[in-house]
Amino acid sequence: MAESLQSQLRKHLAALTAAGVEFVPVAPPAPAGLFRSSASESAPDPDADRRRQLQVVATDAAKCDRCPALFSTRTQVVFGGGPVSPDILFLGDAPWADDDRDGQPFRGEAGALLDKILAAMGLSRAEVYLTTAIKCRPPRNRPPTADECGHCRGYLDRQLELIRPRAVCCLGETAARALLGVSGGIRTLRGQTHDHAGTPVVCTHHPQEVIQNAALKRPVWDDMLRLLKLLGRVPPAK
Ligand code: SF4
């Protein structure tokens, strides 16, 4: 491109010389601010306010002591993370030991399997929001109680309002019951599309269950295909 401009300039100067022009006046520099580079023009971030409000909710949760048994044994509150307006928000039951240590949900073996499932769906961890029904690890990874889920519900509701996922995927029975307020087991809750405040919800087995029972791989994948279909997406070819 630079050579082409140089070549054009030479030809233009040669034409001017041939026409008898002996000098070309130099233009004064443009006034400061007349031209702005595209790098200096930063478009306003339409999601900045939602991100700021999410940070406020996370800061509130970090100080929460509503569940005495969890408050006294947790290392930290695991709020969750990911982009706002994702295609999918994955909801687990509670932070596990690795999550409690790292401050992020879905670490460890179950998280590694979730990463593989996401990759098979054509997604990455960075593209989805990951959180749990309660934000503090129960001692010895026991399931959260209904009371604990109730105490934490306000944080989850605010997350859903601010994150606005196109679909929610509940991983495991506890997460499904906590979000949907139903009492059925995961085998009856999966295989259909539920609704939460206008957002479609698909329920499936928790990755930890799949680690313990390989026969669940097929039904979990069927649920992921249901999720992708809802979103108008197709999994990448293998
Ligand atoms: S689980 Fe939720 S409600 Fe209970 S102490 Fe932790 S942040 Fe608070």
Side-chain angles (χ1 to χ4, degrees):
M1 177 65 81
E3 276 194 18
S4 168
L5 284 172
Q6 281 179 349
S7 165
Q8 286 178 41
L9 187 57
R10 272 197 212 100
K11 283 181 190 163
H12 184 60
L13 288 172
L16 289 173
T17 304
V21 175
E22 293 182 340
F23 72 95
V24 178
V26 177
L34 184 61
F35 300 112
R36 280 185 293 169
S37 71
S38 56
S40 67
E41 287 180 30
S42 53
D45 177 0
D47 300 326
D49 189 52
R50 279 196 286 153
R51 276 193 261 272
R52 187 189 56 74
Q53 291 187 61
L54 264 175
Q55 190 53 51
V56 171
V57 182
T59 303
D60 281 351
K63 299 175 283 191
C64 180
D65 59 0
R66 282 184 214 156
C67 308
L70 310 187
F71 166 68
S72 56
T73 56
R74 74 186 181 207
T75 302
Q76 57 192 315
V77 169
V78 183
F79 187 70
V84 294
S85 305
D87 270 3
I88 309 170
L89 179 146
F90 284 91
L91 181 70
D93 50 359
W96 287 48
D98 294 325
D99 314 351
D100 180 62
R101 181 197 62 216
D102 295 348
Q104 297 288 329
F106 294 103
R107 311 296 281 188
E109 211 180 353
L113 178 55
L114 180 59
D115 286 340
K116 282 186 189 171
I117 294 169
L118 289 172
M121 296 170 77
L123 291 164
S124 71
R125 186 176 275 251
E127 293 173 88
V128 298
Y129 199 96
L130 301 177
T131 190
T132 45
I134 68 166
K135 314 301 184 198
C136 302
R137 180 199 177 204
R140 296 176 301 285
N141 296 336
R142 65 157 171 75
T145 66
D147 274 355
E148 288 162 352
C149 290
H151 292 161
C152 220
R153 183 58 193 251
Y155 297 124
L156 176 59
D157 283 342
R158 283 297 285 150
Q159 278 179 309
L160 290 166
E161 284 165 17
L162 292 167
I163 293 160
R164 297 179 205 159
R166 290 181 64 205
V168 173
C169 180
C170 294
L171 297 170
E173 186 173 294
T174 305
R177 286 180 172 184
L179 179 69
L180 299 171
V182 293
S183 56
I186 194 65
R187 287 176 196 276
T188 56
L189 293 170
R190 60 163 299 276
Q192 52 186 305
T193 303
H194 304 266
D195 175 87
H196 172 72
T199 303
V201 179
V202 169
C203 304
T204 194
H205 297 277
H206 193 284
Q208 192 64 39
E209 295 174 70
V210 181
I211 290 168
Q212 288 159 3
N213 180 0
L216 297 178
K217 279 184 188 172
R218 184 70 242 178
V220 167
W221 184 239
D222 288 344
D223 293 329
M224 295 306 108
L225 292 177
R226 170 183 289 275
L227 200 48
L228 289 173
K229 192 172 177 188
L230 279 172
L231 298 165
R233 299 179 67 128
V234 289
K238 288 184 183 170

